[in-house]
Amino acid sequence: MNLFFAVLTPFLGAVLVAWASRFGRSHAAWAAGGVALTALAWLSPLLSQPFAGTTVVQRLEWMPSVGLDLVFRLDGLGLLFAGLILGIGLLVILYARYYLSERDSMGRLYAYLLLFMGSMLGVVLSENLIQLLIFWELTSLSSFLLIAYWREREMARMGARMALAITGAGGLALLGGILLLGEITGSYELSVILASGDLIRGHSLYLPTLILVLLGAFTKSAQFPFHFWLPHAMAAPTPVSAYLHSATMVKAGVFLLARLFPALSGTPEWSWLVGGAGLCTLLLGAVVALFKHDLKGLLAYSTISHLGLITLLFGIATPMAVVAGVFHIINHAIFKASLFMAAGIIDHETGTRDMRRMQGLWQFMPFTATLAMVAAASMAGVPLFNGFLSKEMLFVEASEMASQQSFGWLLPVTVTVAGIFAVAYSLRFIHDVFFGGKPLELPRTPHEPPRWMKVPVEVLVLLCLVVGLFPAQTVAPLLAVAAASTLQTALPEYNLAIWHGFNPALWMSVTALVGGVLLYLVRRPFSLLHDRFEGQLDARRLYNALLQGLMVIARRITALLDVGSLQRMVFVFIGFALLLGWMGWSGDRSVLTGSRPLLPVDAMSLLVTAVLTVISVAVVILHRQRFTALVLVGFVGLVVSLIFVKFSAPDLALTQLLVEVVTVVLLLLALYFLPQHSPVESHPLRRSRDGLLALLVGGGVGALAWAVLTRPHSSIGDFFLANSVSGGGGSNVVNVILVDFRGFDTLGEITVLALAGLAVYALLEKLHISGPSQNADGRDWNWDLHPVIMASFTRLLLPLALLVSVFILLRGHNLPGGGFIAGLVTAVALIMQYLANGVAWTHSRLSANMHPVVGVGLLIATLTGLGSFVFGYPFLTSTFGHMKWPLVGDFELASAMAFDLGVYLVVVGATLLILIHLGLMHGKEPVRGKGGH
Amino acid sequence: MEALLAFVIGLLTACGVYLALRGRTFPVVLGLTFISYAVNLFLFSMGRLSIGQPPVISVSANAYADPVPQALVLTAIVIGFAMTAFVIVLALKARADLGNDHVDGQN
C-alpha cells in the first residue's frame, strides 16, 4: 500500500497547498515541500528492496469482477525515476518560492506542480500499463496547466495548447500500442509483458505495436519530427521548465523506451526507428541550440538534443548502450535542472533572456557564474564532470557500431559532430552571458540572487562534480539496479572510470572539445545564416496547417449538422426518435397487447383522466397566457401525484406533491422576469406540423406503455422485498433501496442536485435583469404585500411543519417518508415564510447562505459511506441495531439514517439555494417600493 | 386501468412535445415539465400497476408493488426539479443577455 499512498499523496497535497497559500507564500512552499517529503517517506521503507534485487508489486483490488486492479511496482528503474521526480521536485519547490513575483499566485503553481508530480510518480510506479497510460495522460494535462501558468500571455497559452495537442495525440497512439500489447500477451501487467519479449517480437502485430508505442514515447520526449512543441513550452515559468524538461515530463518518453525495452527491442525495426529518430534529434537539437539567442531557447534545443542522445543509446540496444542511456538520464536531469535554474536567476536578475543584450555578467554575479560554468561543462561533456562519463560511453558504443554495419562509420561521425555543437553551444551559454565586455542597457542592474534561490543550484552542481569525479563510489549502485531492471537480465561488465586509455572514444571527445571551441569562434556567419532562414523550415508550420485544416473541417461538419435553430434541432431530434421507434416497432411481429390480466376501471379514475385531459389540452391552447398555463401545469402535477397514490406508490405521491409546490413557486418567480404573454409568430402550417408530430410521438409512447403494462413481469424487486427487513433493517423498501441497497446511486444523485443548485446560484450571481414595473394588465405591482392573516398563520405553522418533516425523516426507513420527502417539506415550510412574510423579514431571520447546508449534507452522506471502510466493509455498507429509549421504547437506529440525514440536508440546501436566490433577484429591483406603503 | 394510464402517458408526452417545439423559452420549459411527468409515469409503469399494495413490508400484506421503479422515479422527480430550475434560470440569463426570450436568441 505504500506505493499507492506515495502516488496519492501529491494529488491530495495539491488541494492542501492551494488552501495553505491563503496564509502566505512561504506557507504554500512549506506545505508543498512537506507533501513531497511525505511521498518520499511513503517510499522510504521500500527503498532497500530494489537494491536487494526484488521487485515490489503492490496490488489494490479495485474491480476484481472485471479484472481491474490498481497495481504498483517498484524496481530499480522506477526507484531511479521516483528519486529524480521527488528529489528535483523538492529543489524546484524551494527555487520557485524565490522565483515567482508577488503578483503570481504561489498556491496555483504549487498545486499544479504537485498534480504533475503525482502523475509522474504514477507513470513510473505503475505495474499495469492501462494504469500507466492514465497517469501518462494526467502528466499531459497537468503540464498543460503548468505551461499555461501565466495564462494572460498568449505565448504561454499557445505553447501549452501545442504541448497538449502533440503529447495528447501521442498518448492516444500509446493507448493503441498498449491495447495491442495486451492483445498479444493476454495481460496488461508489466511482469507478464516484460517476460514475453520473444512472443511479442514474433507476433504479426509487432510492427504496428512498436510504431504506436514509439509515437507515444517520441511525442513525449520531443523526438524529431515531434520536437517543436518543446521550445514553445519555454513560455512556462522557469522553475516549471527546470522540472518538466530536465527530470520529468520529457523523460517520461525515454522512461517508456527503457520500461518496454525487454519487450520490444532487439529487432532491426527497433534499431532503425529508435536509433534513427535519436540520431536525427541529437544532431538537429545540437545544431539549432547554438544559434538560439534566447537563453531558455538554447537550453530547450539542448534538451531536445540530449533526449535524442538517450534515445539513440536505446536504439543501439546493446546492454552497454542501455547502461549508458540510463546513466545519461541521471546526468542530464542533474545538469539541465541546474542550468535552467541558473537561466532563471539570470532572467530574474537582469530582466531579459536575450543573449545578445547581456554579457560580462561575471562582475555582477561571479558565484552564479561559477555554478553555471560547472553545469555547462557537464552539458558539454568536459572531463571530470558527470556529463562526460555518459557521453564517453556513447562514443564507445558509436565507434563499436562503426565496424558492424555498412555506412556504420556515419554513426561515430554524426555523434562527434553533435558533440562539437554541444561544446560550442555550452561555451556560448557561458561566454556570451558572463564574459565578453559590458552588458548593454539591461532592464535591471543585476546582482547575486537571494541566498536560498542559489541552494538548489548548488546542490545540483555539487552532484555534477561528485558524480563526475567519483562515479563508482556514488552513482554506481543506483545505476546498476536501474539498468538491470531496464534490461531484465544480468548487467554487462563495465567500469565507471574517467580514464579508459587511448581509445577511439577519447579521440572523439578531444575532437568534440577542440572542434567545439573552434566552431564557437567562427560561428558568426553561420549564425547570420540561421537568423535569415529562421522559421522558414519549421515543423510548427506543418502543425499549424494541420490544425487549421482540422478546424475548417470541424466547422464545416458542425455547420452541416447544426443549423443554429433550437426549434428545428428539437424537431429533427424528436422526429428521428420517432423514426427509430417506428423502425423497431415495424421489424417485430409480436402483438401489441400482452397477456397480463387487466385491472378493472373505476368511475373515479375515468373522471380524473377526463379532467387531466381537459387541463392538458387547455395548457396547450392557452400556453400564450403564461400565468394561466403555469397554474394549470401545477394542476397536472397534482393529478400525477394522485396517480401515484392510486397505484401503491405513497413515497412518490408525497414527493410529487411537494416538488409540484416548489416548481410552481420557482416558475412564478422566474415568470416575473419574462414576458407575460407569448406572441403568435409561427405559421399555422408549422403549428399543425408540430401538432402532428406531437400526436404521433404521444401515440407511440402511449402504445409502448400499453404494450409493457399488459405484459407479465418479473423484477429484481423481489430480492429487495425479501431482503429489505433482514438486510437493510427497514420495511419501507423504496427508502431502503435509496439509502442502502443503491446508496451509491443516491449519493450520485444528491451530488447532481447539489451541483444544479450551485450552478443556478452561479448563473444568478452575474445576472442583471429587471422585471416589468406593471403587471400584464397594465396595473402597478402592489408592493404592500403580505396579508396579515396569512403571515401570522405561516409563522405559527413553521414549527409544526418542521416537526412534521423531522417525523417524516425519522420514520422514512419503515413507513413512507425519508430524506428526500422530509427535505422538501422543510424547504416548502421555509419558502412559505418568504412568500407570506416577504424577503426582508425572512432574510433577517434565515441566512440565504445555503452552501454550508449542501456541503455538510454531502459530507455526512460521504462520511457515512466511508465509515464502513473502518469496519472493513465496502463503501456504503450499512448496519442497524435496536436500542431502548426511555419513554419512546424500542427505537431502531440504522447507519443508513445518517445517510438519509445527508440526503435531507442536500435537498433542503439545494432547493432553498435555488429559490431564495431567485427570490432575491426581486429584491434587487429598482422599482421596489414604487406603489408604496 | 392500464389503458387509462397508457393514454395519460401518451397525452402528457404529446402536450410536452408540442410545447417543447414552441419558439419562446417559457412554453419550452412548461413542455419539459410535461415530458418529465410523462417520463416519470412511464418509468413507474415499468413495474406494472397494482392497487393497494404499497412496497412497505407488513405482516398483513400478501403482495407488494415493484419497489425498484419507485426508487428510480423518486430521485428522478427531485432531479427533474433541479433541471427545471437550471433551465428556467438559463432562460432568464438568455433574456438578460440577448434582450428577448426566443430560444434561438433572435426576434
Side-chain angles (χ1 to χ4, degrees), chain A residues 194-254:
Chain A
L194 295 186
S196 7
D198 291 327
L199 174 70
I200 297 168
R201 281 184 289 270
H203 201 275
S204 57
L205 286 174
Y206 170 70
L207 191 62
T209 311
L210 179 68
I211 290 174
L212 288 173
V213 170
L214 290 184
L215 277 176
F218 287 175
T219 47
K220 201 77 161 179
S221 275
Q223 295 299 295
F224 177 81
F226 309 111
H227 60 280
F228 55 90
W229 68 263
L230 199 147
H232 292 279
M234 291 299 136
T238 303
V240 172
S241 307
Y243 196 39
L244 259 57
H245 304 134
S246 66
T248 53
M249 166 90 164
V250 295
K251 287 286 168 65
V254 286

Side-chain angles (χ1 to χ4, degrees), chain B residues 25-75:
Chain B
T25 49
F26 196 77
V28 172
V29 174
L30 292 188
L32 288 177
T33 313
F34 264 99
I35 294 177
S36 301
Y37 293 146
V39 169
N40 287 341
L41 281 176
F42 184 81
L43 276 182
F44 169 69
S45 71
M46 292 301 101
R48 310 301 187 273
L49 302 184
S50 43
I51 295 174
Q53 298 165 337
V56 178
I57 308 292
S58 71
V59 279
S60 54
N62 50 6
Y64 301 104
D66 190 346
V68 178
Q70 296 198 16
L72 289 175
V73 170
L74 199 151
T75 49

Side-chain angles (χ1 to χ4, degrees), chain A residues 648-669:
Chain A
S648 319
D651 287 281
L652 293 191
L654 283 168
T655 314
Q656 180 68 55
L657 191 67
L658 292 158
V659 163
E660 210 42 57
V661 175
V662 285
T663 306
V664 169
V665 172
L666 167 86
L667 292 180
L668 275 175
L669 286 173

Side-chain angles (χ1 to χ4, degrees), chain A residues 415-686:
Chain A
V415 296
T416 312
V417 172
I420 291 173
F421 276 92
V423 172
Y425 68 66
S426 303
L427 194 58
R428 178 161 184 233
F429 183 86
I430 294 305
H431 191 261
D432 278 18
V433 174
F434 295 111
F435 302 99
K438 286 194 182 303
L440 301 166
E441 45 192 80
L442 289 178
R444 270 173 243 161
T445 310
H447 50 77
E448 290 283 354
R451 179 79 205 90
W452 286 97
M453 197 170 176
K454 280 182 293 192
V455 168
V457 194
E458 287 166 11
V459 171
L460 291 166
V461 165
L462 193 68
L463 280 174
C464 285
L465 274 172
V466 171
V467 171
L469 291 171
F470 312 106
Q473 290 78 12
T474 51
V475 79
L478 182 64
L479 174 61
V481 288
S485 69
T486 306
L487 286 167
Q488 294 283 310
T489 54
L491 281 177
E493 286 286 323
Y494 64 88
N495 178 17
L496 288 184
I498 303 166
W499 179 251
H500 284 282
F502 292 99
N503 53 9
L506 182 72
W507 296 118
M508 287 161 80
S509 280
V510 171
T511 314
L513 284 172
V514 177
V517 175
L518 290 176
L519 178 64
Y520 175 71
L521 292 175
V522 300
R523 74 185 191 284
R524 296 251 179 258
F526 299 109
S527 186
L528 288 175
L529 201 69
H530 171 269
D531 287 356
R532 185 139 169 222
F533 289 104
E534 187 172 25
Q536 303 266 323
L537 204 75
D538 197 348
R540 201 188 76 204
R541 293 185 152 212
L542 187 69
Y543 163 85
N544 282 336
L546 272 175
L547 206 64
Q548 298 224 316
L550 208 63
M551 286 305 231
V552 168
I553 295 173
R555 270 195 212 106
R556 279 204 193 133
I557 293 178
T558 311
L560 202 70
L561 295 175
D562 180 6
V563 291
S565 158
L566 183 76
Q567 258 180 305
R568 217 175 303 167
M569 296 308 287
V570 171
F571 187 85
V572 170
F573 171 71
I574 294 174
F576 205 69
L578 184 69
L579 187 72
L580 284 179
W582 179 78
M583 278 162 64
W585 207 266
S586 62
D588 196 68
R589 289 275 149 257
S590 53
V591 289
L592 181 63
T593 307
S595 59
R596 187 184 159 91
L598 300 182
L599 294 170
V601 179
D602 54 74
M604 195 49 149
S605 307
L606 215 53
L607 182 67
V608 169
T609 311
V611 170
L612 182 67
T613 312
V614 172
I615 301 170
S616 302
V617 172
V619 173
V620 170
I621 294 170
L622 298 175
H623 78 266
R624 289 201 185 80
Q625 298 166 37
R626 296 180 171 182
F627 181 74
T628 317
L630 177 56
V631 172
L632 291 175
V633 167
F635 206 93
V636 174
L638 295 184
V639 175
V640 171
S641 75
L642 281 182
I643 295 176
F644 288 134
V645 172
K646 176 78 182 171
F647 297 116
S648 319
D651 287 281
L652 293 191
L654 283 168
T655 314
Q656 180 68 55
L657 191 67
L658 292 158
V659 163
E660 210 42 57
V661 175
V662 285
T663 306
V664 169
V665 172
L666 167 86
L667 292 180
L668 275 175
L669 286 173
L671 185 56
Y672 171 71
F673 295 106
L674 292 169
Q676 304 299 308
H677 296 282
S678 304
V680 185
E681 48 187 3
S682 46
H683 197 267
L685 212 61
R686 175 178 210 151

Side-chain angles (χ1 to χ4, degrees), chain A residues 129-130 175-189 192-193 199-200 203 205 209:
Chain A
L129 279 182
I130 302 271
L175 172 64
I178 285 173
L179 291 179
L180 285 179
L181 272 180
E183 192 69 17
I184 295 171
T185 59
S187 169
Y188 290 111
E189 304 212 340
V192 177
I193 289 170
L199 174 70
I200 297 168
H203 201 275
L205 286 174
T209 311

